Amino acid sequence: MDSVYFTPDHETFRASVRRFLEQEVAPHADRWESERRIPRGIFRRMGELGLLGILFPPEVGGAGGDLFHAVAFLEELPRSRMGGFCAAVAVQQFMATRHIWSHGSEEQKRRWVVPSIEGRAVGALAVTEPDAGSDVAALRTRAERRADGWVVNGAKTFITNGADGTFFTLAARTAPDRGAGGLSLFVVPADAPGVRVARRLEKLGWHCGDTAELSFEDVRLPADALVGEEHAGFRYLMEAFQLERLCSAAIAVGSARLCLEETLAYARERKAFGRPIVEFQAVGHRLADLATATEAARQLTLHAAWRLAHDLPAVRECSMAKLFATETAKRVADECLQCYGGYGLMEEYPAARFFRDARPHTIVAGTSEIMREIIARRMLE
Ligand SMILES: Cc1cc2nc3c(=O)[nH]c(=O)nc-3n(C[C@H](O)[C@H](O)[C@H](O)COP(=O)(O)OP(=O)(O)OC[C@H]3O[C@@H](n4cnc5c(N)ncnc54)[C@H](O)[C@@H]3O)c2cc1C
């Protein structure tokens, strides 16, 4: 047995995901990156293949998989060769829809989760604001109660799937004076009057990914747009953070492994001073160090997933996995690029994209500093 965590069924699933990504996604990567977009059709195709509902039960069209199916999927996602694609897909099925599934009404699940699993709808999780990122409790977008529902006013930024998505799972303030206890979640159709894509953001890395700034101006929502209980939004977000962090960690591990695999192949081929550069101890030892760090990141990520899958407290482990795996992926991408020499900087080689796509991971889904804060607080308890 190769791993105590993955069964033969997980590995068969992993192989099918890899095949799909290598045959149907990666060949388009250069074009989607330069066009700065992911065509909607690929979501439909993933829906047909059952790849957008891994954790959802078959009754709603999901695959009925467990957390290790999800981890195998996330580790494979970087085979798409696009960090932005990994983010878009992970947000769709493990973030935007998760809240609706965990806390929403049957009607909300029917209207938003089922089409998301089929790939007909694309979801975004809209939490971050221009003045409230790490400090989620400081967010100011308001949802005010009216006789017939809610009116939303505010702005969101850095929202993955924000410009091309079909709906937002939106965090908004429902009690102005209650801090974290005054936030609620809503489901907002992207075409609701008053919702506007203020800007598509140009960024370092994740080029194909849609990252947007959104504005909400007197957006009228029906009463049943509220997801779960009023004022429970912060708690819902905190609960879901463990899965979010695990997603980042598993994608980072997959991306570091792939980057190393490709760099090793290059280092065996590329010759200098009459021999393959991998035979220089400086190169070989560097790759050995990176492989060791990547394996450690993977084991920590799998351990965190195991705790989460067994309903054991996992805040510490998921935070450590997110911190260590994303920082490791960043280091791997940087040091692997060095092994390519000048070719590492050229767009026709993979190292440049690995390098820029590894960068956002230590910022999104909670920065490395915030992860350290959480871990340190746990140590003091
Ligand atoms: C490409 C991309 C995609 C994203 N996708 C989404 C999305 O889909 N949905 C969404 O809601 N958000 C999304 N985000 C937002 C992301 O979650 C935030 O950028 C992140 O949480 C940090 O918030 P901030 O950018 O406002 O930084 P700030 O919170 O302003 O932090 C700035 C710096 O201060 C540090 N800092 C802040 N507080 C502390 C503290 N207490 N202790 C130590 N250091 C601290 C931070 O670590 C950071 O280095 C995305 C961001 C990017 C870049």
Side-chain angles (χ1 to χ4, degrees), residues 136-152:
V136 173
L139 67 82
R140 290 195 306 209
T141 292
R142 285 293 316 271
E144 289 176 275
R145 207 183 252 289
R146 296 281 192 272
D148 58 345
W150 303 89
V151 176
V152 175

Side-chain angles (χ1 to χ4, degrees), residues 87 91 95 124-136 156-161 203-206 211 244 360 362-370 373 377:
V91 164
M95 298 172 208
L125 178 63
V127 179
T128 304
E129 300 185 354
D131 295 320
S134 303
D135 186 4
V136 173
K156 296 286 173 185
T157 195
F158 302 149
I159 307 306
T160 301
N161 298 339
K203 57 197 179 293
L204 175 105
W206 296 12
T211 311
E244 262 186 53
T362 64
I363 293 172
V364 305
T367 64
S368 290
E369 291 76 13
I370 294 296
E373 274 297 302
R377 259 187 269 132

Side-chain angles (χ1 to χ4, degrees), residues 23-339:
Q23 290 175 0
E24 299 189 43
V25 181
H28 306 292
D30 290 348
R31 184 159 53 82
W32 297 356
E33 284 278 288
S34 68
E35 289 174 357
R36 302 288 200 263
R37 59 185 286 273
I38 301 167
R40 183 64 69 80
I42 198 67
F43 283 92
R44 289 302 300 266
R45 178 70 182 134
M46 291 182 81
E48 278 165 23
L49 295 173
L51 296 178
L52 291 179
I54 293 169
L55 294 177
F56 295 105
E59 302 87 85
V60 290
D66 62 25
L67 195 56
F68 283 94
H69 287 102
V71 171
F73 174 78
L74 291 158
E75 283 186 339
E76 291 306 310
L77 267 183
R79 303 251 164 202
S80 65
R81 313 263 159 185
M82 293 167 281
F85 180 82
C86 300
V89 170
V91 164
Q92 158 88 344
Q93 73 165 317
F94 300 116
M95 298 172 208
T97 42
R98 263 343 273 181
H99 293 287
I100 304 173
W101 180 254
S102 302
H103 308 290
S105 65
E106 289 310 311
E107 171 57 16
Q108 286 170 342
K109 290 177 194 173
R110 190 194 60 73
R111 184 161 172 214
W112 302 109
V113 179
V114 172
S116 297
I117 292 171
E118 292 169 351
R120 288 188 291 115
V122 175
L125 178 63
V127 179
T128 304
E129 300 185 354
D131 295 320
S134 303
D135 186 4
V136 173
L139 67 82
R140 290 195 306 209
T141 292
R142 285 293 316 271
E144 289 176 275
R145 207 183 252 289
R146 296 281 192 272
D148 58 345
W150 303 89
V151 176
V152 175
N153 280 287
K156 296 286 173 185
T157 195
F158 302 149
I159 307 306
T160 301
N161 298 339
D164 296 327
T166 16
F167 70 93
F168 311 114
T169 301
L170 175 90
R173 182 159 293 290
T174 38
D177 47 1
R178 284 181 48 181
L183 304 182
S184 304
L185 297 187
F186 295 86
V187 58
V188 182
D191 60 0
V195 176
R196 194 168 56 83
V197 177
R199 252 185 335 144
R200 281 176 183 268
L201 300 166
E202 281 291 324
K203 57 197 179 293
L204 175 105
W206 296 12
H207 283 170
C208 70
D210 150 21
T211 311
E213 192 173 297
L214 306 169
S215 112
F216 299 83
E217 232 179 281
D218 291 328
V219 179
R220 304 191 79 85
L221 299 176
D224 64 4
L226 179 70
V227 177
E229 289 170 33
E230 189 178 355
H231 308 321
F234 189 78
R235 176 162 55 84
Y236 296 162
L237 290 171
M238 293 300 121
E239 283 166 10
F241 271 159
Q242 307 330 312
L243 181 60
E244 262 186 53
R245 287 169 190 157
L246 195 67
C247 285
S248 279
I251 291 171
V253 165
S255 137
R257 277 160 58 108
L258 181 60
C259 182
L260 268 169
E261 197 180 299
E262 305 243 317
T263 307
L264 180 62
Y266 180 82
R268 293 170 100 134
E269 284 290 312
R270 176 74 180 168
K271 291 200 174 61
F273 299 95
R275 51 186 169 135
I277 59 167
V278 75
E279 289 179 15
F280 296 114
Q281 200 176 60
V283 175
H285 281 196
R286 167 180 271 149
L287 294 178
D289 281 345
L290 297 177
T292 305
T294 302
E295 188 58 38
R298 184 170 197 231
Q299 294 306 320
L300 184 53
T301 301
L302 297 177
H303 174 61
W306 180 84
R307 288 189 68 88
L308 201 59
H310 287 81
D311 289 328
L312 294 167
V315 172
R316 175 177 172 273
E317 289 74 13
C318 288
S319 306
M320 285 178 165
K322 203 276 177 186
L323 170 65
F324 190 65
T326 60
E327 290 289 344
T328 298
K330 189 173 81 175
R331 177 182 155 210
V332 167
D334 183 18
E335 295 198 24
C336 281
L337 186 147
Q338 188 71 18
C339 295

